[in-house]
Amino acid sequence: MQRRSSNTPAEDNTAANDAGLEAIPIESDVQRAKPRPTRASLNLRRDSDDRDRRKAESPVLVTSQASQPWTRSAINAADGFSEKAPSAHTTIHLTEETPEKMLAERRGLRRSRLRGPWSCSMPMVLATLASMAILFAILQSFFSQQLDVKGCRMSYMRPAFAKFSDFDTEHTRFASKYSLFLYREGEIDEDTKVKGIPVLFIPGNAGSYKQVRPIAAEAAQYFHDVVQHDSPALKAGTRNLDFFTVDFNEDITAFHGQTMLDQAEYLNEAVAYILSLYHDPRRSNRDPGLPDPSSVILLGHSMGGIVARTMLTMPNYQSNSINTIITMSAPHARPPVSWDADIVRTYKQINDYWRQAYSQRWANNNPLWHVTLISIAGGGLDTVVPSDYASLSSLVPDTHGFTVFASSVPNVWTGMDHQAILWCDQFRKVIIRSLVDAVDANRPGQTKPRAERMRIFKKWFLTGMENVSEKALPHNEPTTLLTLEDNSNSIISYGKRFSLNNFGQSKKPRAHLLPMPPQGAPGGTKFTLLSNQRLDSPGESGKLEVLFCSVFPLQAGQSAALFSMNMDLSGDSSGSTRLACKNAAVDTIHLPASTRASKHPFEDNAPFSYLQYDLEDLADHQFVAIVDKAVDPTPGWVVAEFSDAVDSTIHTDISLWRLLTSGLRLQLPAGRPMMTDVKIPALHSSLLAYKLSISGQACGDEAELFTPFLRQYLSNPYESKFFVNVRQANINLHGVAPFMPPPLRSQNIEEGVSLQLWTDPTCNSSMDLSLQVDIAGSLGRLVMRYRTVFAAFPLLVVALVIRKQFRVYDETGIFISFAESIDMCLRQSLPLVLLALTFLAMSLARARSDPSKPSSGGLFSRNRNATESAVDFTKNDLLLGSEDPFFWFLVPLFGLISVGVCIVINYATVVLTYSLSVIYGFIASRPGWVRNDDKRRGVASGFAAPSPRRRLITTSILLFLVSTFIPYQFAYMVACIVQLATSTRALRLVRSTQAGAHYDFYNYTHTILMLMLWVLPINIPVLVVWIHNLAVNWLTPFSSHHNVLSIMPIILLVETLTSGKMIPRVKNRIRWITNTLLFFLALYSAIYGVTYAYHLHHLVNIVAFWFVVIHLSSSSFSVAGILKMLEGEDVPDNDPLHARQPPPNSNHNKKRP
């Protein structure tokens, strides 16, 4: 028995290049229907008939019972067909299995597996399992390990808002979109007239104008309860703060640069309007003796902080109208995502403007000389914006701004998430008190001079132990005359530590004197004092006062009235010693209390008081007087001592590789100072987390004064974390982070983490310290630093997979499935590319490393001796963005994760298209859903393509809308939906016919769909912005998103595929263009994809253009054909998917013997 089917000869027997394929004869599975047969086609038909005749005349062997006969399904699988759709001219011989037949069967099965979308292999399974396991470990670490404790207390307010309706289109073109409000606190200040210092709050991405409530309410409450009763402060220019806020209708600024520019333009006009209110007697209730304000303080949250900096670069900015900017959780260093070209370009322009301004040699040439910029980061709890991006080190010098973390702020001592930084009660108090101290209504700028503002902000936001912290004591004049009796036994011996366990034991005030040690000790000498009591300022009547004194012999005629305070502790003694003293309370550093009951530093307990001075700061003094002012026995303690740096500072010289393998172990001796500073330069990367263990101090039978507590700190940026009653601590930091630009100016500071440990010196016991790398906890650190990598690296895999598919297709005629191509790439090309990228990452890390920074050590550390060249702020933009070759393993790690994700997404897409094809088949099988014209035309089942005229009109309308109204991102989403429908129809056709050509076309459409899906996330954010603008009735188009050329090739390719046309094979050297384009797309995705993700869309657009060119190379394209389409005439289609199906009674379907 024989069956006829059309067989064309194999076009190419060459094996697939590096694909591991055998030479497979390619056969056309459906005969092409042509209007008129040509001579060549007749000759091919005659040759085919001759072959069939010779095969029919060959002897047929009878199979024995022991031999395994060929089954019909095996025959169909070998020929790439199915029983459901037999071809018309294929001759099949049922003969005994021979080696030739078995080889042919294996080839057929191989070809079926290559084309099948469900194919899978052991390497794919292993890669997917490994990828999912690593991804699960990373996410589990991110959500459950090395987490900071939330310690914010809730805030309360009674808000009221007054809208400025007259700030209309006469003032700004954005009046119909944005609004300006004045905040007033209910029951405290309900007067809508302006009367204080103007402060403008700028909400962030999708933020509300109502987010100003906690901070503005605290300002009103603080002025009402404290400031208005402080006459010296009012005389010095302190006034209440008028908080203005802007309703941006929850604009999405993080994804769209033009929106950010629009907001900056509106805010400059709002600043001009706000300042005009103070000039209008009808709107202002301000003291007429004060100058009219000429500047506004800006308070920005998240992207609102970036908009605040943008305002100073806009053409409508009024000079000197802004001099103080405080930002909270604002990504200053780089955009949070790089999916929009405008936001990347805008960021670059803003940052370049600020860098150039502060690079000027003379202040007169710096337009930002009067501006102070403070950036406050939330820390590890902020999972919206990486806190590393809040750094200002690449933008402003230390004289004009700094970056500080919320956990460093005194009396706050806790990290905050992205929203909590606005309502955290203890934090808002610090914000308001710093602003109140910085304002001066007696000056037109409404603030104190820049240098004084910087001192105030450092006092409120820094711990006071940083190198840049200024001590007030050396600059003050003596205010207290201390009189002591002669021959006092209260002078502590030189070099001895002073410790007092209880106050008031003498039942009268008593002074304890510590003599100053001589200058010139190696490494320097520090004075430290720690107490659980508050240090009194002059005139206060507490328990403890600390004075720095010099002998002051009172000459004849001099009066003690020279001093504001006279403290006489001489009693009835005839002889006395007089000391001229300065009060040290002004330099008090607050530290979190640490007792056996303490758990967290932010607990609502009275803080410890701490003093720390370098001996050079005390050169003008001879004694430290610790005055116990209690007259009755009172619990409390104080410890004071002078310590040499060689005893209190431990420098560790350990590499990160050694720390990873063996850890760090230190034993602190029993006779150590109260505070020990352990410096570990190797701990500078924000990608690693550590676990610290400290053995408990042993005090014997006596109760300890305090339990050990720890400060983990970085010098740049200013990040400190406190751990009270510490035994175990999770150490994580925001140090050297990926993709961060280098500092604006070289900083001669010691890099790395330092650990300050305070222990009770009265215990006199040794302690053990152990530090280990927390590998599991470090995995979660990758999420915030490399989350955008997972949008770029998978495109590397997809591009290499498509490249392999086209290479095999051009050489064998088989368009293999996406899954089979992944399997082939896993065996050769992907490992080679990842290996090359790994070496590239190591080379880039070595080239861009700062020579002054100590290496992490390990396998790739090397000594560097180079001079610093001009600062290149883009040197960390490539690949992993890391300066340390220690992290070379991240390239293969991300590559493996991307492979697994691509495999999962591929099968998920196949499942989706399969489900849709089943639904589509069910709907199409209903009698009312099948069109009569489709039946008459005999269109292939499940693939009824629209007419060329309809496709041309649809494409033209879509491109016209892109050029006028809709952004091209919307058209791209439509194209993805259309491509999904095309892939669904192609799969239904495959399920119906099981034909090889249909398999090829489905694999091709599925591959294009996969490519488009990985670019879709890059286009969605701008689309969301456009939809949001439509929702608020803002119809102004985006000028940068209406480039028709940015979407036309993709639309043309998708429209071409809706017609069912398979891309032609390219057998000449032109095929290397396809190979090169896809390989370049793969490399660009890995090297530049994170920083310039928006370029990936345009590169895919170029690839789509090339595919369209290949499609057009096999079609008869002419103006006449286009005119016929527009007139509605059918244009012949030479694609096999649209060959007419033979009539049911045709001879083509008859079986012949």
Side-chain angles (χ1 to χ4, degrees), residues 812-826:
T812 68
I814 300 177
F815 201 96
I816 61 178
S817 66
F818 194 87
E820 183 66 23
S821 183
I822 290 181
D823 176 57
M824 295 178 181
C825 291
L826 277 174

Side-chain angles (χ1 to χ4, degrees), residues 341 968 1015 1043 1045-1046 1093-1103:
Y968 70 78
V1015 183
N1043 187 354
L1045 297 179
S1046 297
Y1094 63 92
H1095 279 161
L1096 299 179
H1097 169 90
H1098 301 295
L1099 290 177
V1100 171
N1101 194 48
I1102 294 174
V1103 173

Side-chain angles (χ1 to χ4, degrees), residues 74 169 219 230 253 342-343 388-389 423 593 614 624 653 665 700 725 856 967 977 1101:
T169 54
D230 189 348
T253 51
D342 281 350
I343 197 166
D388 306 283
Y389 293 178
W423 55 259
D614 291 329
V624 180
D653 186 14
R665 290 173 177 82
N725 194 20
S856 296
I977 296 174
N1101 194 48

Side-chain angles (χ1 to χ4, degrees), residues 904-946:
V904 171
I905 296 297
N906 170 61
Y907 286 117
T909 307
V910 172
V911 170
L912 176 62
T913 53
Y914 184 86
S915 303
L916 293 177
S917 69
V918 172
I919 298 173
Y920 177 71
F922 174 77
I923 295 175
S925 64
R926 309 297 294 176
W929 292 89
V930 181
R931 297 190 307 176
N932 292 329
D933 55 345
D934 289 343
K935 294 179 181 179
R936 291 194 302 269
R937 288 187 298 175
V939 178
S941 176
F943 210 96

